[in-house]
Amino acid sequence: MHSLLPLNNQSCVVSVLLPLPLNKEYHYNANPMLELNRGDLVEVPFSRRRLLGVVLSLSNETHAELKRLRWVIRRFDLLRLPKNLIDLVEWTASWTLAPRGSVLRMVLSTPSAFDSPKSILFYALASQENRICPKRLTNARRRVLSVFNDCIVIDHKNLLRKAVVGSRVIKSMVESGILDCSSAIQYPIFEPPDITGEWEILNTEQQKAVKILSSRINANRFSVTAVEGIKGSGKTEVYFRAIAETLAAGKQVLVLLPEIVFSSEWLERFTDRFAVKPAVWHSALQVRVRRDTWRAVAKGSVRVLFGARSALFLPFNELGLIVVDEEHESYYKQDVGVVYHARDMAVVRARLEGIPIILVSTTLSLETVENVRQGRYTSIHLAAFCSDINKPEVALIDLRKYSLDRGNFLSQPLIQAMQNTLDKGEQSMLFINRRGYAPLTLCNNCGHRLKCSKCTAWLVMHQMLNQLICHYCGLSTSLPKCCPLCNIRDSFIFSGPGVERLAEEMLLRFPDVKFQIASSDTVKGPNSTAELVRSMQSKEINVVISTQSIFKGYNFPFLTLVGVVDADLGLTGCDPRACERTYQLLHQVVGHVGGASRPAKILVQTLAPENPVMQAIASGDRESFLRFEINQRKAFGMPPYGKLAAIVISSLNLKQVDEVAQLIAKAMPRLNGVIILGPIPAPIAVIRCYHRRRFIVRADRKVNIQKVLRDWLAAIRPKSSVRIKVDVDPYNFM
DNA sequence: AGCACGCCGACT
DNA sequence: GTCGGCGTGCTC
Ligand SMILES: [Zn+2]
Ligand SMILES: [Zn+2]
């Protein structure tokens, strides 16, 4: 018998964590025959449901206070959650202040993986002596038999297909003893990557990088290596070698990527190198693939997986390396449910697993740069192959010098540059981080502005859909015929830019231009992204008007002009990372435009060309940008030189939200090195009719901000109609 | 998370 | 007098 079992033999008591938004564990009796251990996944009764849970501990305690312990129904043999993964659950929960059960829910995201796998019927010819040879064979039966000329065993589906018969023919052949039938479970095949293939020849710098990464992998312990390099620097090639090396050592590899990359040509690079398709994990995965992948990760048949954020919580058992590509992307910060940063938690997982992690980016985040400077991470910088001749020219356009007509947003130099680009048969891209036609619609007669009925936000006109849309709740209405305030007919005018409005302005200047709009409204899944990329590469379109950087993993050789329509948009507001994001966007653009023989140009429209961020962007001087940005962050104690947290209290009931906010305010701690602002209405004070109040907590680096928050909020028990959301290190300041 | 229990408004 | 709304609380 197992040593961990209680000696009184009849039963043992286990504590089980359930994938519910709860922190506490529940106790169950378990049959000793189940031989339960920490990490075992079990099915337990819970109220009148049956739930999947994880055993956290075994105890001899009598639990006298719990008269009727219920019994563990069964244990799942698919896997036992590795200690490191349980630790990651605990860590993430304590870091984000989420209930442990909510984090466990992310781990057990695919409960169907525990369904008993369906077995498939297989057929073979009956052995000679048993086989009854009918005197006459129908054509259908003959076709079935001929299939077995090429194979010994075949599954039902393929037999039907190859013999072109119905299942009744097969059935009757089994019944008459011609075929033998057996059933077996067929697990989908995830072919192991081939690591014996030829490698590209590396330059000395890349070889050095490979060597460093190789030593990290062989060290077989936790380390963080930041790899920075623009397109063409070979950073992907370099980390592919680290992957190969890890695979050769018999370990699994997890690569985290922004969602946008999936189903793109990017993954083909892996196939080119490793001869197989990598396993992938993202939100658009079909349920069956999802289930099969989860199982295969647990079973170890997936050796390399490319996944979006949520892949971090997959049950790898033999993880040897984590790579976070595009580590600077704020995509990695989840802001619904468990509010966690996948890059940060990936570092935590690597530490818990005792393995190396590689953070890769065109423009490392300031957080990572600071960790490198403090010596916590090491870094590798890869320069680009291409010479300075092809380095794109970046120029600021001072918008104060050009008077733009109402509703126009393209300055003369930008229009001229677009004209030149079109004349050369090359492509342009316009950036404006505003979806739809115009951010504000107002009555020309009385000035009434169209607001969402459920949010404190303007409705955004979307000409393409002919709808006004609220970007916070999704509410969609058609443009009213008359102003709701003054009743004047057709009195609406639009204010401010949007991708659609830019398209309209552009078409006035260049009526024949072929263009596409790239925003979350037009480019939704991986498929539409692939379609956009294809039409770009095949030169079906001359211009892309985009709300976001769509470069990730793609190559646009004919793209030689980028216009940033309003660079100032990213520099205002209360988000401490706004400047960094603008800089990153530009830096990434610089790295991706133009081809071998085509010089490229980047034009940045701004009202504040003297702004140091603009200057750094124009000069392409990363160091001077960093110096400026670091000084700013230090001066205000912003991350990574201080810690931030947001507490958002929300309720449908205005009175209740203020009551709870006041309650929290009364309990506010007064601590050294901690500054708390609030409660104030959140910038979007109402979303979906939920009133929102917010506190911002700023703490010195040495402060344990989680403890401060936990101690503070522990005593606050609001009724269910009021929600309190804690966001440690927020990225979304709305 | 789900599900029952319980207490108030407007229907047969 | 009952039907059903959701606010509250519990699940080993
Ligand atoms: Zn009006
Ligand atoms: Zn709304």
Side-chain angles (χ1 to χ4, degrees):
Chain A
M1 283 298 241
H2 204 282
S3 63
L4 284 169
L5 288 177
L7 296 172
N8 66 14
N9 68 52
Q10 287 315 306
S11 72
C12 70
V13 174
V14 292
S15 70
V16 176
L17 182 65
L18 299 166
L20 303 177
L22 303 165
N23 233 328
K24 74 177 174 193
E25 299 153 34
Y26 287 83
H27 298 271
Y28 291 89
N29 278 321
N31 186 332
M33 302 287 277
L34 287 175
E35 299 193 4
L36 291 182
N37 264 305
R38 179 176 161 88
D40 274 328
L41 293 164
V42 289
E43 188 177 37
V44 292
F46 192 71
S47 167
R48 64 212 57 215
R49 296 180 283 168
R50 287 167 159 215
L51 288 177
L52 172 64
V54 62
V55 174
L56 285 192
S57 64
L58 318 185
S59 60
N60 284 317
E61 291 168 48
T62 49
H63 295 276
E65 77 279 15
L66 297 163
K67 289 238 171 62
R68 305 192 312 264
L69 281 191
R70 296 174 81 180
W71 289 76
V72 170
I73 297 166
R74 59 181 164 147
R75 187 190 75 189
F76 292 100
D77 292 329
L78 177 62
L79 83 160
R80 171 177 294 163
L81 281 197
K83 179 184 182 299
N84 299 334
L85 191 46
I86 299 176
D87 290 348
L88 180 68
V89 169
E90 307 255 6
W91 234 96
T92 307
S94 93
W95 183 264
T96 61
L97 277 83
R100 290 185 299 168
S102 300
V103 184
L104 179 65
R105 198 158 197 271
M106 303 197 290
V107 174
L108 303 175
S109 62
T110 315
S112 64
F114 295 89
D115 297 345
S116 40
K118 260 209 316 226
S119 54
I120 291 176
L121 294 177
F122 288 91
Y123 298 94
L125 286 179
S127 55
Q128 211 51 248
E129 52 269 30
N130 294 342
R131 199 185 309 164
I132 302 142
C133 262
K135 290 173 193 102
R136 218 168 54 83
L137 278 173
T138 61
N139 279 336
R141 288 188 170 199
R142 194 169 291 124
R143 285 201 302 277
V144 171
L145 290 180
S146 69
V147 169
F148 290 95
N149 293 337
D150 306 328
C151 63
I152 298 163
V153 182
I154 187 164
D155 68 270
H156 187 78
K157 220 167 118 188
N158 275 314
L159 181 55
L160 294 188
R161 193 175 50 81
K162 282 195 178 173
V164 204
V165 295
S167 45
R168 289 195 53 189
V169 176
I170 311 284
K171 204 178 162 204
S172 73
M173 288 175 80
V174 173
E175 277 163 6
S176 53
I178 305 168
L179 294 181
D180 276 345
C181 174
S182 63
S183 74
I185 294 164
Q186 190 185 39
Y187 289 101
I189 296 155
F190 289 85
E191 290 190 52
D194 175 12
I195 51 177
T196 61
E198 285 284 310
W199 292 99
E200 275 170 35
I201 294 163
L202 300 179
N203 63 21
T204 39
E205 190 184 49
Q206 293 164 337
Q207 282 171 15
K208 226 175 100 190
V210 168
K211 224 168 158 187
I212 294 170
L213 291 178
S214 168
S215 75
R216 296 279 185 284
I217 287 157
N218 291 319
N220 223 346
R221 59 186 163 78
F222 171 63
S223 64
V224 187
T225 313
V227 177
E228 186 173 52
I230 61 163
K231 186 191 80 175
S233 64
K235 61 184 195 296
T236 310
E237 183 71 16
V238 165
Y239 82 66
F240 272 12
R241 298 209 185 195
I243 291 174
E245 187 142 2
T246 312
L247 292 173
K251 302 279 186 56
Q252 290 172 294
V253 179
L254 166 63
V255 183
L256 294 180
L257 296 167
E259 190 109 24
I260 187 168
V261 179
F262 292 95
S263 117
S264 76
E265 60 180 38
W266 197 93
L267 291 175
E268 286 169 23
R269 295 182 65 176
F270 182 87
T271 312
D272 291 344
R273 178 68 59 247
F274 293 99
V276 298
K277 281 188 176 172
V280 294
W281 186 265
H282 55 83
S283 61
L285 230 51
Q286 292 188 345
V287 275
R288 279 181 54 178
V289 183
R290 206 176 181 75
R291 188 239 286 137
D292 293 341
T293 307
W294 203 93
R295 276 183 193 149
V297 168
K299 284 281 173 210
S301 47
V302 161
R303 304 313 298 175
V304 184
L305 181 130
F306 285 71
R309 201 168 49 210
S310 60
L312 178 64
F313 293 97
L314 284 171
F316 293 94
N317 235 323
E318 309 164 310
L319 203 55
L321 174 68
I322 302 175
V323 179
V324 183
D325 203 346
E326 309 287 355
E327 69 86 31
H328 65 277
E329 278 289 324
S330 58
Y331 157 81
Y332 286 116
K333 177 72 191 244
Q334 172 147 51
D335 73 358
V336 287
V338 180
V339 190
Y340 71 99
H341 198 301
R343 180 242 289 143
D344 296 347
M345 291 305 110
V347 172
V348 170
R349 183 161 191 180
R351 210 191 56 218
L352 295 171
E353 304 265 358
I355 59 172
I357 178 169
I358 307 174
L359 305 179
V360 185
S361 177
T362 316
T363 325
L364 291 173
S365 65
L366 197 52
E367 279 78 6
T368 299
V369 168
E370 177 59 17
N371 277 319
V372 170
R373 293 189 175 194
Q374 294 301 319
R376 287 184 286 265
Y377 300 177
T378 48
S379 81
I380 297 170
H381 186 90
L382 296 168
F385 273 129
C386 60
S387 59
D388 277 351
I389 300 161
N390 285 321
K391 209 170 174 192
E393 174 202 339
V394 182
L396 299 179
I397 299 174
D398 186 348
L399 282 181
R400 293 169 302 193
K401 288 190 194 150
Y402 303 91
S403 59
L404 292 171
D405 291 341
R406 189 187 173 77
N408 282 4
F409 303 93
L410 302 175
S411 65
Q412 195 49 48
L414 183 51
I415 290 164
Q416 189 55 53
M418 287 180 76
Q419 182 68 65
N420 296 344
T421 309
L422 282 171
D423 292 345
K424 280 186 280 182
E426 294 171 357
Q427 295 167 319
S428 316
M429 179 179 281
L430 295 177
F431 273 117
I432 178 80
N433 195 13
R434 290 247 154 115
R435 292 162 56 201
Y437 183 79
L440 177 63
T441 306
L442 46 86
C443 172
N444 203 14
N445 180 52
C446 73
H448 177 68
R449 302 159 172 202
L450 293 178
K451 191 186 107 13
C452 176
S453 57
K454 296 179 175 176
C455 313
T456 346
W458 307 128
L459 288 169
V460 178
M461 187 62 199
H462 284 242
Q463 216 82 291
M464 211 179 324
L465 304 164
N466 198 23
Q467 293 278 300
L468 287 159
I469 294 176
C470 171
H471 286 176
Y472 293 91
C473 73
L475 182 94
S476 172
T477 54
S478 49
L479 187 67
K481 274 270 150 278
C482 305
C483 170
L485 204 67
C486 69
N487 225 15
I488 299 285
R489 228 184 134 77
D490 296 327
S491 63
F492 293 110
I493 55 166
F494 300 102
S495 171
V499 277
E500 293 176 3
R501 202 174 195 183
L502 274 187
E504 186 183 80
E505 182 181 351
M506 181 189 66
L507 281 174
L508 282 174
R509 310 272 182 185
F510 313 106
D512 300 324
V513 77
K514 292 193 228 58
F515 74 98
Q516 206 166 320
I517 288 173
S519 69
S520 58
D521 303 290
T522 57
V523 181
K524 288 197 173 88
N527 294 334
S528 48
T529 310
E531 175 55 26
L532 171 69
V533 170
R534 197 196 50 75
S535 55
M536 221 20 212
Q537 290 170 341
S538 65
K539 283 180 127 177
E540 276 167 42
I541 53 176
N542 321 103
V543 178
V544 182
I545 302 177
S546 178
T547 55
Q548 71 227 318
S549 174
I550 54 161
F551 290 115
K552 285 162 200 67
Y554 303 105
N555 228 335
F556 300 119
F558 308 110
L559 178 61
T560 56
L561 174 68
V562 174
V564 178
V565 176
D566 188 351
D568 305 329
L569 259 180
L571 301 183
T572 52
C574 47
D575 184 346
R577 293 186 186 84
C579 289
E580 188 184 2
R581 264 204 286 276
T582 303
Y583 179 83
Q584 276 165 355
L585 171 71
L586 266 298
H587 193 244
Q588 206 159 85
V589 168
V590 169
H592 281 82
V593 294
S597 56
R598 295 181 200 85
K601 206 171 190 182
I602 296 162
L603 297 177
V604 180
Q605 297 193 145
T606 173
L607 284 165
E610 69 287 345
N611 180 310
V613 178
M614 287 300 155
Q615 288 297 320
I617 284 168
S619 63
D621 182 357
R622 173 126 170 95
E623 279 310 311
S624 81
F625 169 75
L626 284 174
R627 218 174 308 123
F628 170 79
E629 183 67 11
I630 285 170
N631 280 338
Q632 291 287 303
R633 301 262 187 112
K634 273 185 179 161
F636 295 98
M638 287 293 128
Y641 306 98
K643 297 179 178 179
L644 276 189
I647 303 169
V648 177
I649 305 115
S650 63
S651 173
L652 291 168
N653 185 316
L654 177 60
K655 213 178 123 225
Q656 286 180 5
V657 81
D658 278 322
E659 274 168 19
V660 174
Q662 284 312 316
L663 207 67
I664 296 176
K666 279 212 189 85
M668 191 189 287
R670 310 172 92 251
L671 298 164
N672 258 346
V674 179
I675 299 165
I676 300 169
L677 304 171
I680 52 157
I684 309 293
V686 184
I687 294 181
R688 279 177 207 275
C689 303
Y690 280 83
H691 298 271
R692 307 163 78 236
R693 297 291 178 268
R694 192 178 72 172
F695 291 87
I696 295 279
V697 184
R698 199 214 66 81
D700 292 346
R701 268 201 73 102
K702 59 175 196 295
V703 174
N704 180 343
I705 198 168
Q706 280 85 3
K707 186 179 183 316
V708 171
L709 292 164
R710 240 189 307 271
D711 292 348
W712 178 12
L713 299 174
I716 315 280
R717 320 186 102 278
K719 24 185 172 180
S720 61
S721 54
V722 181
R723 282 211 329 253
I724 299 177
K725 179 188 155 188
V726 179
D727 186 345
V728 175
D729 197 16
Y731 278 62
N732 180 355
F733 289 82
M734 289 295 129

